[in-house]
Amino acid sequence: MAAAAGDVCGAVVGSRAGAGAGAAVAAEARFISSAKGKGLFATKNIRKGETVFVERPVVSSQFLWNALYNYRACDHCLRALETAEENAQRLLGKSSLVLPHPEQCSIRKDLHQQCPWCQVTYCSAECKQAALEQYHRVLCLGPSRDDPTHPLNKLQEAWRNMHYPPETSSIMLMARMVATVKQAKDKEWWIKVFSQFCNKTANEEEEIVHKLLGDKFKGQLELLRLLFTEALYDEHLSRWFTPEGFRSLFALVGTNGQGIGTSSLSQWVHACDALDLPMLQREELDAFIDQLYKDIEKESGEFLNCEGSGLYVLQSCCNHSCIPNAETSFPENNFLLHLTALEDIEAGEEICISYLDCCQRERSRHSRNKILRENYLFTCSCPKCLAQADDADVTSDEEEEGEGETDDAELEDEMTDV
């Protein structure tokens, strides 16, 4: 689905971005064909349940509506900043709620720090410094944080007025790409990193932009380009600010952006699940948690997590399969992506994830490919689809009813597994 990774992929994994220094990576990107691009392949035998790799994004950003609605997350790594109890209270709209076992909450408020100029919040001094060194010097609003006439605020407001929840991308992911290059001493290195992500044809780019912005996408894209240029223009990236270059950049983020979800409440629940409790206490705690989630669903619906998206070099190489052998998750409550094997994978075997959620994967081949064509611009040829190739290209009555309701929220559920 993209050009061959080349040497940059190895550089990203080993140093300034990607998997952390010294991290074991049991996979590598390989070029497959001009039609399919590259894929991710196991470099050793991997057992079911084993972590294939843990990857840090090249850039990431919280979704703008998500942040506006007080889903408080670290401005760099998206770690949830609320305690589990505060998280549950806000989602439930009940400030008197008290969670049992508060010691199982992993949030360390004593470590939180703010930018001294614009007051955005970070989960730690390390994140504040990392942001400052990579992109925040360019993007810091200083005393203009609440000034609606500041070019960056105008850009963000325009984006919010075009891309409503459920969100699947953010203009600020593109802004951080530009800011990263502007701040970098080795600008060409970063340009090369970004250029390796999946590229599309002009017609495909238009389809992606249309999907993100709707029927008026051409006028909206041009408005965003003008505001983007006013806020961030840089001569080293002049092509990104042309109509064609901006469309390509937009499509790059729309195609390669991986959803990120974090939740302090989810982390608390996982910690509670691991407690060794007497049977009666276990039953009471499980019943409390079950009822809590039911009540939260009534109050807040499906929007439970701090959500954003990021660009991941290795993860972006993973092709889709309707019977995936691996899955992504964010168990550390931040932007670190874990790719985990769902079954034994042999050395040399391609590692595939699913772009569909569990329910969508159980639908007919026709329905699955309709979703994939609409959202990712390809038709699947995985073993499951090939085995069902002779099935009629129709859906059941039940699927027909839901066909028109397939939306980005379903896709996002799969991407924001915490």
Side-chain angles (χ1 to χ4, degrees):
M1 292 180 64
D7 294 333
V8 177
C9 186
V12 170
V13 171
S15 57
R16 285 173 271 194
V25 178
E28 65 180 9
R30 298 178 190 170
F31 182 73
I32 298 174
S33 68
S34 56
K36 198 171 184 180
K38 61 187 174 184
L40 197 69
F41 293 82
T43 55
K44 68 180 186 68
N45 292 336
I46 303 169
R47 293 192 174 189
K48 179 180 178 180
E50 186 179 339
T51 299
V52 182
F53 58 75
V54 178
E55 186 174 16
R56 184 185 303 115
V58 178
V59 287
S60 62
S61 180
Q62 187 177 6
F63 292 148
L64 292 179
W65 280 107
N66 191 260
L68 190 67
Y69 282 128
N70 294 317
Y71 287 74
R72 296 180 56 237
C74 174
D75 199 59
H76 182 63
C77 79
L78 274 76
R79 182 184 299 278
L81 297 176
E82 296 174 304
T83 64
E85 188 167 273
E86 290 171 338
N87 190 191
Q89 289 172 346
R90 176 176 55 79
L91 292 173
L92 197 57
K94 186 177 179 181
S95 59
S96 61
L97 176 73
V98 176
L99 291 184
H101 301 286
E103 75 285 353
Q104 297 304 313
C105 177
S106 61
I107 301 303
R108 293 282 306 278
K109 285 197 165 188
D110 57 308
L111 299 179
H112 295 179
Q113 295 200 7
Q114 290 185 318
C115 169
W117 300 287
C118 69
Q119 280 73 57
V120 297
T121 306
Y122 300 98
C123 68
S124 64
E126 290 77 14
C127 274
K128 184 177 80 169
Q129 187 63 27
L132 191 65
E133 290 178 356
Q134 184 178 339
Y135 55 80
H136 190 65
R137 288 190 180 95
V138 168
L139 298 178
C140 181
L141 291 169
S144 300
R145 184 180 182 185
D146 298 319
D147 178 4
T149 66
H150 189 283
L152 275 173
N153 285 331
K154 287 163 60 179
L155 177 65
Q156 293 180 75
E157 181 63 18
W159 175 259
R160 280 192 292 264
N161 288 331
M162 297 177 191
H163 190 66
Y164 293 95
E167 298 170 275
T168 57
S169 191
S170 172
I171 194 72
M172 292 310 293
L173 192 62
M174 298 164 60
R176 288 189 177 183
M177 292 170 67
V178 172
T180 294
V181 176
K182 291 183 76 163
Q183 280 193 207
K185 293 181 180 178
D186 190 352
K187 299 181 188 300
E188 292 303 318
W189 189 89
W190 279 103
I191 292 172
K192 190 177 181 183
V193 168
F194 292 131
S195 69
Q196 75 182 285
F197 284 97
C198 176
N199 296 304
K200 297 290 185 182
T201 66
N203 287 339
E204 288 174 328
E205 288 175 354
E206 286 214 348
E207 287 189 57
I208 295 164
V209 174
H210 186 182
K211 181 69 180 176
L212 286 172
L213 297 182
D215 291 336
K216 299 179 181 178
F217 71 93
K218 289 186 177 179
Q220 291 180 328
L221 187 66
E222 179 60 12
L223 174 59
L224 286 173
R225 185 184 72 84
L226 294 174
L227 292 171
F228 196 77
T229 301
E230 178 187 0
L232 295 162
Y233 183 79
D234 184 86
E235 61 181 14
H236 289 93
L237 297 167
S238 57
R239 185 184 174 278
W240 285 6
F241 296 90
T242 66
E244 297 78 13
F246 187 69
R247 184 190 63 201
S248 296
L249 184 64
F250 205 92
L252 181 153
V253 168
T255 304
N256 295 278
Q258 162 69 41
I260 301 168
T262 64
S263 167
S264 52
L265 179 60
S266 175
Q267 293 288 303
W268 173 83
V269 169
H270 288 317
C272 286
D273 286 344
L275 289 174
D276 185 12
L277 298 174
M279 184 178 296
L280 181 58
Q281 290 184 33
R282 166 55 59 194
E283 291 174 352
E284 290 176 347
L285 180 58
D286 289 348
F288 174 86
I289 292 172
D290 289 343
Q291 188 60 49
L292 176 64
Y293 272 108
K294 289 177 183 177
D295 293 342
I296 287 175
E297 185 178 8
K298 291 178 183 177
E299 181 70 23
S300 299
E302 64 190 25
F303 300 103
L304 304 183
N305 300 330
C306 296
E307 293 187 349
S309 62
L311 295 177
Y312 295 83
V313 173
L314 284 177
Q315 178 276 332
S316 71
C317 301
C318 289
N319 288 314
H320 164 82
S321 173
C322 297
I323 43 173
N325 56 11
E327 66 177 357
T328 60
S329 63
F330 299 88
E332 297 186 49
N333 194 34
N334 61 11
F335 62 17
L336 290 178
L337 179 149
H338 288 235
L339 186 72
T340 306
L342 293 174
E343 58 187 52
D344 290 347
I345 304 172
E346 295 183 1
E349 184 179 348
E350 185 174 8
I351 300 172
C352 294
I353 59 176
S354 179
Y355 301 170
L356 306 175
D357 64 33
C358 295
C359 294
Q360 291 168 337
R361 290 201 297 270
E362 294 307 312
R363 299 174 72 176
S364 69
R365 179 188 61 86
H366 175 72
S367 295
R368 296 196 306 272
N369 276 287
K370 184 175 186 293
I371 297 168
L372 291 169
R373 281 192 298 270
E374 288 178 354
N375 291 278
Y376 302 102
L377 311 183
F378 73 89
T379 299
C380 183
S381 59
C382 73
K384 182 175 182 177
C385 286
L386 291 177
Q388 297 174 347
D390 295 331
D391 292 359
D393 286 342
V394 294
T395 57
S396 64
D397 291 341
E398 180 181 354
E399 287 182 326
E400 288 285 357
E401 292 175 4
E403 202 71 89
E405 300 174 3
T406 297
D407 57 25
D408 292 327
E410 288 181 303
L411 300 172
E412 198 67 20
D413 286 342
E414 182 76 354
M415 295 194 297
T416 55
D417 178 20
V418 295

